[in-house]
Amino acid sequence: MEINSNSFRLMADNAGCGILIIGNDEKIIFANRHVNNAFKYPDVGLEGKPIDLLFPGQVFSPDSLSRIMFINPKGLDGSLEHKMQVDGYAADGSRFPVEIAYSTSVNDESIFICPFTEHNKVCKSEENKTNITKKWLALIGVINKAIISSLSEEALFNEICKVAVEIGRYEVCWVGKPDIETKLYNPVASYNATAQDYELLGKLKIDTNGPTSYVMQTGNHYFSNDFNNEVWSHDLKSYLWGRDFRSYLCLPFKLAGKAVATFNVYASDINTFDAEQVFFLDEISNSISFALDNLENEKNRQIINNKLTETIAFLNHSEAIAHIGSWRISFKTGEAFWSDETCRIYGYEPTPNALSYIDWISAVHPDDVAMVKKIDNEARKTLSRVEKEHRIIRKDGMLRYVRSISFFETNTDNVPIGMYGVIYDITDKKEMDDALSLSEANLRLIMDMVPQCIYVRDYAGRFKFANKNYAALFGLTPEELISLNFIELEAHLVGNYSIVSDSDREVISSGLSKRLELMPFTDKKGKHLIFNVLKTPFNMVGTKEVFVLGILDNITDQVIAETERTRMLEDVVKRNEGLQQFSYIVSHNLRSPVANIIGLINAMKTPGMLSHSRERLMEGLDKSVGKLDMVIKDMNSILQIREGVNEQKQEVVFADLVDTVKISLNTDAVDSINIVTDFSLVNHIFEIKSYIYSVFHNLIANSIKYRQPDIPLTIEISSKNMKDAVKLIFKDNGLGIDLKKNNDELFGLYKRFHNVAEGKGMGLYMVKTQVERMGGSIHVSSEVNAGTEFKIIISTKQL
Amino acid sequence: MTPDFVLIDDDDICNMLTEMMLFNIAPQSSVKLFNNSFDGWDYLASIADKELTNPLIIFLDINMPGLTGWDILDNLKLHGNQINKNCKVYMLTSSIDPKDKEKANNHELVKGFFEKPLINLNLKAFIDLGDQ
């Protein structure tokens, strides 16, 4: 290696000692940085200068051509030839002792680097500088380590002070957190400081123009290599002076770029701090600041972390309570975060490990996978909120229903990069919903199956419910009926139905049920129906409003059947009466002439009887046969009435009838008969003429037959209009009938109540039969010896 | 002892036959004949309180206008204190209705029930019985 080569100089400059190479001419061939500095030739260098300049009068062994001199060597005793202590003279004339070792080894290219010794100040400072450089680096390492190991701020400061004093061989280091307002230094850490130092530092006031203020305000370092020249703070200066400190360095420690503490280094030498040291100390300051920031961040992070942990715990707890799980998935990695509850919902043990999309989709019920994927893909196009319900099969094989709500996560380019959302188990709700809708459907089915018509209306008349049967009355479905507004209702409600139902309102207002019987109703098809209706106040579940619940029992068929039955019963009764009458006729009226005939013939057979009473017997036979014939004819005419006649109904004028009857009865022949008629209200009827004639004929004839012998007979005949009927009244002033005694048999066949006139008990029977045949009725009121009144009501209703 | 007869029936032919029959079997008996029930009752009422010398046999038709055979029986029950002791009432009717026969047999004053016509043999046997 050439002495003048750059690499040699670099090596030599970084050696732990001063290196001088002297040529044969006793001139300096090479001096390294340490030598130049020690002898105060830093700028010009010593090359070419005579060695005598540095060590005047000192003779070095001239054994070799060139001598390499190691200044302040140590531990090389065995390898160097010469060792001595000499006085060295610096450029400024100062003199100092130097320990040197030298060797004459011109061609030896070995470089010896030796440790410092502490005897020599120059050597010491030179040696320190090199060592310190290394140690500073180590210190930075320590600091970084401290930062990494997250020491507390106080521990960090104390460590810094200790390390700085030990490495830099300073007297005292301390860290303060000056308060500009109270002007206190607030020492927080120190090393090598005495108790007095500490007490004093706690008392001293900061000089606003002093170094601490400067450092705190500017954030720059401040140092003085001889503070005696400085102008600042009397107190601190006197303190420093009193402690025999000469050099002073103050560095800022910053938090988030702002000075929050000062790092103070005191040394007993002047000129302690060269540029390099200051540079390193600045580095340390920066590192510490960085560490402080980190510490602060760490503290914040810790707080945030704690809060986050707390929040996550709270969230997990909340999720567990609400049975809502949350999840997040990254499209890039396919990894998904599942919250504890999400895991539980899917039947996994809660795990901090990421699960995958595959884990999820494999849990989805196979039949729902396509649907779920479709929903997600659709939503992905618009990045809209996704809401879906589907089935899952849990790890344990249980089938559950879940509902998930999720959102897409996008990057700044609005490209989806993930999804997050919540999920919850809706099985119970689903089952309840299903059960509810099932029971609703069942109820609906039952409602529609029952034969009754059922509806619910509000006070205004709007339908809230109707079953099929009810809606069908209006030719509608229940849904249509309920959806109708008032105007549409008006158009759809048919027959005698009105929007405002007084009875509906009454039930709602009174809160009392109401039963309406035999209500007629005409449905949409025009069919006449009859209902029994029960209306009852009704509170629909979930409302406070009172409605009316109407249940209509369609009894049309029943009523028709009932009517039919009644009619049949009446018919049967009539027929039975008829049969009884016939039985009576047979046992009495028919039997009577037959018995006589038998008796007469028997008498004729009796010896002597015929010759004796021939005339009388023959006459009796003749009369009996005639009577028999009459009864048979009567029976025939009665049967004809009963079976009905083929005669058509026609308009029968009452006045004309009376005239005809008068002629047939030859009433004109009797002076004392007065027939008064009043047909002003109704003068005719549309009926079977022979029946009406028979009624008029028989009643007038009866009146004449049973008139009072001493009083002129008056017959009053009048007519009245009734609802769907005509009433005829026949009133006379004749003998009258004892109704108490004869009421049962008055209209019976062959019933006679008077002996005064010839009668065969046929008239009233015929009248009654004919009136009933016309769908009418006959009533009698009478008083013996005062007169009789017959009222006949004949229906005009068209059946 | 020969009984006296009272015949109340609105059927004249029947009355004639009955009278003939009675004359045939008991020519010495008196027969009072009424074809109007009111007249018949008037007669019975007139002898109701009298001691009768001969037993009295009444033939009573059931079906008569105004006052029926049943009515006369009811009247007798009320008013015939004396006559009831010595008289026998027989219903004589053309009715073949079993109800009439039943009613007659259950009536305390009625001794018998005859369907018309009265036949010789029947009547003779009955009169003999009545004698005893």
Side-chain angles (χ1 to χ4, degrees):
Chain A
M1 187 181 286
E2 291 299 318
I3 287 169
N4 288 321
S5 74
N6 284 336
S7 48
F8 178 78
R9 172 159 288 277
L10 187 65
M11 280 172 62
D13 278 351
N14 281 299
C17 58
I19 298 171
L20 267 176
I21 300 176
I22 305 159
N24 284 335
D25 53 359
E26 303 292 327
K27 284 185 178 169
I28 297 167
I29 296 169
F30 176 83
N32 76 352
R33 190 166 57 100
H34 303 310
V35 176
N36 285 337
N37 286 341
F39 290 89
K40 297 203 167 60
Y41 293 93
D43 300 327
V44 293
L46 282 164
E47 277 93 353
K49 297 219 167 29
I51 190 67
D52 205 35
L53 193 62
L54 305 179
F55 307 107
Q58 180 66 43
V59 177
F60 299 101
S61 169
D63 287 359
S64 65
L65 289 174
S66 61
R67 282 157 289 194
I68 301 170
M69 300 175 73
F70 296 96
I71 295 168
N72 198 22
K74 196 184 177 188
L76 298 171
D77 302 283
S79 61
L80 290 174
E81 292 166 30
H82 308 284
K83 239 178 15 170
M84 61 182 73
Q85 260 200 323
V86 295
D87 277 347
Y89 289 84
D92 58 358
S94 60
R95 192 176 61 141
F96 54 94
V98 179
E99 195 172 275
I100 61 171
Y102 69 92
S103 172
T104 54
S105 52
V106 174
N107 298 317
D108 192 346
E109 292 181 355
S110 306
I111 297 297
F112 299 97
I113 296 173
C114 44
F116 294 91
T117 65
E118 294 180 13
H119 304 298
N120 187 292
K121 274 198 174 176
V122 173
C123 281
K124 183 180 159 191
S125 75
E126 290 302 306
E127 177 195 48
N128 276 354
K129 281 180 183 173
T130 310
N131 253 347
I132 284 169
T133 304
K134 285 188 345 193
K135 301 235 169 157
W136 285 136
L137 286 169
L139 177 58
I140 291 171
V142 168
I143 291 164
N144 286 337
K145 198 178 156 199
I147 293 164
I148 289 164
S149 62
S150 295
L151 285 175
S152 71
E153 188 182 272
E154 194 188 347
L156 182 65
F157 288 165
N158 281 324
E159 184 74 13
I160 292 300
C161 292
K162 184 177 175 221
V163 172
V165 168
E166 282 179 354
I167 293 175
R169 308 256 169 73
Y170 303 123
E171 304 304 326
V172 169
C173 275
W174 62 275
V175 176
K177 282 190 158 179
D179 186 333
I180 300 299
E181 292 212 343
T182 60
K183 295 195 166 67
L184 289 171
Y185 286 101
N186 289 332
V188 292
S190 67
Y191 191 74
N192 231 14
T194 63
Q196 277 175 319
D197 291 344
Y198 220 78
E199 195 186 339
L200 197 61
L201 283 170
K203 280 180 186 168
L204 286 174
K205 293 283 181 182
I206 297 169
D207 180 353
T208 45
N209 294 317
T212 300
S213 297
Y214 170 80
V215 169
M216 291 298 287
Q217 279 159 18
T218 63
N220 293 328
H221 66 257
Y222 180 93
F223 71 95
S224 168
N225 273 324
D226 188 353
F227 67 81
N228 218 20
N229 300 331
E230 302 297 331
V231 292
W232 42 269
S233 178
H234 177 70
D235 278 353
L236 187 58
K237 218 159 93 178
S238 60
Y239 159 69
L240 295 170
W241 187 258
R243 290 280 278 127
D244 201 20
F245 298 147
R246 288 297 178 270
S247 294
Y248 164 68
L249 173 67
C250 184
L251 290 165
F253 285 167
K254 297 176 189 171
L255 185 60
K258 193 174 180 296
V260 292
T262 55
F263 180 47
N264 303 277
V265 183
Y266 298 137
S268 36
D269 296 331
I270 56 166
N271 296 329
T272 301
F273 304 109
D274 60 11
E276 197 176 34
Q277 277 195 47
V278 171
F279 170 78
F280 277 117
L281 287 165
D282 264 343
E283 275 302 300
I284 288 165
S285 157
N286 286 338
S287 286
I288 294 292
S289 297
F290 177 71
L292 286 180
D293 279 344
N294 267 352
L295 273 178
E296 186 68 17
N297 285 346
E298 177 63 19
K299 208 160 78 188
N300 287 339
R301 200 181 66 81
Q302 202 68 40
I303 291 168
I304 290 168
N305 226 17
N306 287 343
K307 276 195 173 166
L308 193 64
T309 311
E310 209 173 280
T311 308
I312 287 171
F314 179 68
L315 183 67
N316 276 339
H317 195 57
S318 304
E319 286 187 355
I321 290 169
H323 290 303
I324 293 178
S326 57
W327 53 270
R328 187 182 205 114
I329 187 167
S330 157
F331 291 151
K332 196 177 161 192
T333 63
E335 281 193 345
F337 159 77
W338 293 20
S339 75
D340 290 357
E341 190 58 23
T342 304
C343 290
R344 276 193 284 269
I345 288 170
Y346 280 94
Y348 286 94
E349 281 299 311
T351 168
N353 299 329
L355 292 154
S356 68
Y357 178 77
I358 305 293
D359 291 323
W360 172 69
I361 202 77
S362 65
V364 175
H365 191 284
D367 293 350
D368 290 352
V369 169
M371 179 266 288
V372 163
K373 282 184 171 173
K374 192 178 165 216
I375 291 174
D376 281 350
N377 289 337
E378 288 292 316
R380 199 164 175 163
K381 287 177 194 163
T382 55
L383 297 180
S384 53
R385 168 192 161 104
V386 188
E387 212 168 326
K388 53 185 184 274
E389 282 179 15
H390 60 86
R391 288 165 295 174
I392 59 168
I393 295 174
R394 286 162 49 115
K395 274 261 152 188
D396 54 16
M398 273 175 74
L399 178 88
R400 306 291 286 179
Y401 288 86
V402 295
R403 178 179 180 78
S404 93
I405 301 165
S406 52
F407 296 90
F408 283 97
E409 252 184 306
T410 56
N411 64 10
T412 47
D413 295 331
N414 219 27
V415 173
I417 55 167
M419 263 182 118
Y420 62 96
V422 294
I423 186 161
Y424 49 97
D425 191 318
I426 55 164
T427 310
D428 292 348
K429 187 177 169 291
K430 190 92 182 166
E431 281 170 356
M432 255 158 62
D433 284 353
D434 286 352
L436 191 65
S437 53
L438 189 67
S439 77
E440 262 176 16
N442 278 338
L443 186 65
R444 180 88 238 176
L445 192 66
I446 291 166
M447 285 292 197
D448 287 341
M449 295 269 284
V450 295
Q452 282 82 2
C453 301
I454 301 169
Y455 71 89
V456 175
R457 284 178 100 182
D458 62 13
Y459 191 81
R462 221 182 339 245
F463 288 98
K464 294 293 177 189
F465 174 85
N467 72 348
K468 259 188 193 169
N469 282 347
Y470 187 79
L473 295 176
F474 307 103
L476 299 170
T477 66
E479 292 76 19
E480 285 168 345
L481 183 62
I482 290 161
S483 68
L484 296 182
N485 61 34
F486 287 115
I487 296 161
E488 291 164 337
L489 268 178
E490 186 83 70
H492 276 91
L493 294 185
V494 290
N496 38 2
Y497 215 99
S498 68
I499 288 184
V500 176
S501 161
D502 290 339
S503 59
D504 279 357
R505 290 190 162 184
E506 191 189 318
V507 168
I508 293 172
S509 309
S510 69
L512 298 171
S513 296
K514 196 175 171 72
R515 186 177 282 281
L516 304 165
E517 288 185 341
L518 298 171
M519 299 299 286
F521 182 89
T522 309
D523 75 1
K524 183 82 174 175
K525 292 172 191 161
K527 202 173 163 194
H528 297 288
L529 302 169
I530 299 164
F531 290 103
N532 275 350
V533 184
L534 174 67
K535 295 183 175 185
T536 190
F538 179 67
N539 277 90
M540 261 192 186
V541 176
T543 64
K544 281 186 178 170
E545 198 180 340
V546 181
F547 301 91
V548 58
L549 167 69
I551 301 172
L552 288 73
D553 236 328
N554 186 346
I555 54 161
T556 314
D557 291 346
Q558 256 167 276
V559 169
I560 289 171
E562 185 73 24
T563 312
E564 180 68 10
R565 199 157 44 236
T566 309
R567 203 188 61 73
M568 279 170 69
L569 195 64
E570 280 172 1
D571 203 47
V572 167
V573 169
K574 268 186 208 165
R575 276 172 189 276
N576 197 40
E577 279 172 5
L579 278 175
Q580 279 179 348
Q581 293 283 2
F582 265 86
S583 161
Y584 189 86
I585 292 166
V586 169
S587 63
H588 293 88
N589 304 76
L590 204 54
R591 165 71 182 153
S592 171
V594 169
N596 282 349
I597 290 165
I598 293 167
L600 287 165
I601 290 168
N602 193 51
M604 286 173 185
K605 287 178 184 167
T606 308
M609 189 77 90
L610 187 61
S611 54
H612 200 250
S613 323
R614 182 189 178 92
E615 289 296 313
R616 289 172 67 199
L617 289 173
M618 288 311 287
E619 190 190 346
L621 201 57
D622 189 30
K623 276 186 182 171
S624 292
V625 172
K627 198 177 170 189
L628 184 62
D629 185 46
M630 186 193 73
V631 171
I632 289 167
K633 280 179 180 164
D634 284 349
M635 283 171 72
N636 186 50
S637 57
I638 291 164
L639 280 173
Q640 273 187 349
I641 296 166
R642 293 211 168 175
E643 295 306 315
V645 288
N646 293 324
E647 199 180 326
Q648 289 295 311
K649 288 183 179 181
Q650 55 181 290
E651 193 173 283
V652 184
V653 179
F654 301 136
D656 294 351
L657 270 186
V658 173
D659 288 345
T660 316
V661 171
K662 274 180 178 174
I663 293 162
S664 76
L665 291 174
N666 197 18
T667 51
D668 291 344
V670 186
D671 292 336
S672 59
I673 297 175
N674 182 26
I675 298 177
V676 183
T677 59
D678 178 7
F679 301 122
S680 57
L681 296 175
V682 193
N683 68 352
H684 72 280
I685 190 166
F686 190 76
E687 256 305 341
I688 294 166
K689 190 174 180 181
S690 63
Y691 286 178
I692 303 293
Y693 174 81
S694 168
V695 169
F696 273 72
H697 184 273
N698 278 303
L699 291 179
I700 293 169
N702 269 359
S703 290
I704 293 168
K705 245 184 252 172
Y706 306 114
R707 67 181 186 266
Q708 299 202 53
D710 312 327
I711 304 168
L713 174 67
T714 302
I715 305 171
E716 292 167 32
I717 308 171
S718 59
S719 62
K720 278 183 184 167
N721 227 336
M722 294 173 73
K723 189 175 183 291
D724 295 332
V726 168
K727 188 187 205 179
L728 289 166
I729 302 159
F730 293 80
K731 190 171 190 289
D732 67 28
N733 57 350
L735 290 171
I737 306 158
D738 185 355
L739 290 175
K740 277 180 205 157
K741 199 174 160 200
N742 302 305
N743 202 19
D744 293 347
E745 299 177 323
L746 183 63
F747 296 101
L749 183 60
Y750 297 124
K751 296 289 178 188
R752 296 176 58 234
F753 308 99
H754 298 283
N755 283 308
V756 291
E758 186 60 32
K760 57 182 182 181
M762 184 77 180
L764 284 179
Y765 178 78
M766 291 290 277
V767 167
K768 186 169 190 274
T769 308
Q770 284 162 333
V771 166
E772 283 172 354
R773 191 70 212 164
M774 289 185 286
S777 59
I778 183 164
H779 311 274
V780 63
S781 55
S782 181
E783 201 179 321
V784 176
N785 296 328
T788 307
E789 183 182 78
F790 289 97
K791 285 180 187 152
I792 294 158
I793 295 165
I794 299 168
S795 172
T796 54
K797 199 172 167 183
Q798 298 302 310
L799 291 171
Chain B
M1 201 181 278
T2 313
D4 291 333
F5 294 94
V6 170
L7 182 56
I8 304 172
D9 189 347
D10 65 334
D11 186 340
D12 289 332
I13 297 165
C14 187
N15 284 343
M16 176 188 79
L17 282 170
T18 307
E19 194 182 7
M20 285 172 150
M21 289 303 143
L22 290 175
F23 182 77
N24 216 16
I25 58 166
Q28 67 272 46
S29 296
S30 79
V31 177
K32 293 217 181 303
L33 202 152
F34 303 95
N35 70 350
N36 181 316
S37 52
F38 291 98
D39 296 343
W41 167 247
D42 285 347
Y43 171 73
L44 288 178
S46 69
I47 58 165
D49 295 330
K50 289 181 180 163
E51 291 274 337
L52 297 179
T53 49
N54 293 330
L56 184 67
I57 292 175
I58 303 169
F59 289 104
L60 189 57
D61 185 21
I62 294 173
N63 192 25
M64 292 176 287
L67 193 68
T68 67
W70 304 124
D71 297 332
I72 291 173
L73 278 176
D74 290 341
N75 286 348
L76 270 178
K77 202 175 157 187
L78 283 173
H79 305 289
N81 299 333
Q82 285 299 322
I83 198 174
N84 290 347
K85 290 174 189 165
N86 273 319
C87 89
K88 289 178 180 141
V89 179
Y90 295 90
M91 303 309 283
L92 178 66
T93 175
S94 60
S95 172
I96 48 170
D97 189 339
K99 276 186 242 163
D100 285 339
K101 191 171 185 175
E102 192 187 334
K103 189 174 174 183
N105 287 338
N106 287 335
H107 200 285
E108 55 182 303
L109 293 180
V110 176
K111 290 286 181 292
F113 181 92
F114 289 107
E115 279 177 22
K116 294 177 184 175
L118 284 174
I119 303 299
N120 262 351
L121 275 175
N122 282 352
L123 195 59
K124 195 163 173 29
F126 147 74
I127 294 301
D128 291 344
L129 278 172
D131 268 346
Q132 291 165 0

